[in-house]
Amino acid sequence: MAKTVLVSSCLLGLPTRYDGTDNYSQAVIDYLRQENLIPIPVCPEQLSGLPTPRPKCWFTKGDGEAILNHCGAICDESANNVTEAFYRAAEETCKIAEMTGSSLAILKQRSPSCGSQKIYLNEQITAGIGATAARLKRAGLKLLSEEDLEPK
Ligand code: SF4
């Protein structure tokens, strides 16, 4: 039976990015077809109730692990603290992983929610994990990004 996989909805071409655009990735689509996987599109930030378009956000303290441990912070471009929304986003997305029995997630790199290896900390790209990616990893999911699937 084909397996389900959570996929950042913006990678599938859905206009869920903060600026109302998408991050369509042909490499992700090709991988899903090649592996006969059923994508479950998720946008953690929309699941948390944040609007689209929405202000750009980045970490101001720690990374996704720190958010889960209640010692990190994420702010929007107007310096509003939006940490709680990103925590909620992680929890809601994890519920979908559990509901669908997904053991793999393909997530957009560098997002404060979806980044699996890189994030923005105070507008600078740095090594770290997004809040939802960290939550899914804690739940035992394997994480891939579009960068892992693109031809080198
Ligand atoms: Fe894409 Fe994730 Fe940002 Fe939603 S939260 S737009 S799925 S990177």
Side-chain angles (χ1 to χ4, degrees):
M1 200 171 82
K3 289 198 299 187
T4 59
V5 50
L6 295 198
V7 185
S8 294
S9 51
C10 57
L11 291 174
L12 297 171
L14 298 172
T16 56
R17 266 174 55 116
Y18 72 92
D19 59 0
T21 65
D22 65 78
N23 290 307
Y24 180 82
S25 167
Q26 190 60 50
V28 170
I29 300 294
D30 290 346
Y31 181 77
L32 292 168
R33 287 189 180 140
Q34 176 193 315
E35 299 295 322
N36 193 29
L37 296 167
I38 300 171
I40 309 292
V42 287
C43 176
E45 291 169 26
Q46 288 189 338
L47 286 168
S48 79
L50 289 170
T52 304
R54 54 189 173 276
K56 193 172 187 179
C57 299
W58 50 75
F59 286 90
T60 53
K61 186 178 172 199
D63 69 354
E65 286 292 343
I67 299 296
L68 299 185
N69 293 334
H70 305 285
C71 57
I74 299 174
C75 288
D76 70 17
E77 55 199 309
S78 302
N80 298 306
N81 189 317
V82 289
T83 306
E84 183 54 38
F86 280 75
Y87 185 90
R88 196 165 58 241
E91 292 299 322
E92 294 302 308
T93 307
C94 195
K95 283 183 202 168
I96 295 179
E98 286 167 4
M99 272 188 259
T100 57
S102 301
S103 57
L104 169 67
I106 303 174
L107 302 174
K108 175 75 184 80
Q109 201 61 278
R110 296 184 296 279
S111 150
S113 294
C114 295
S116 53
Q117 291 165 332
K118 295 177 223 167
I119 53 165
Y120 282 90
L121 177 65
N122 296 317
E123 295 188 74
Q124 300 290 320
I125 295 177
T126 184
I129 189 166
T132 291
R135 183 66 184 86
L136 295 177
K137 191 175 174 185
R138 279 193 188 183
L141 276 78
K142 180 184 173 189
L143 307 182
L144 288 175
S145 79
E146 76 287 5
E147 293 181 353
D148 296 317
L149 302 177
E150 284 161 1
K152 301 285 183 267

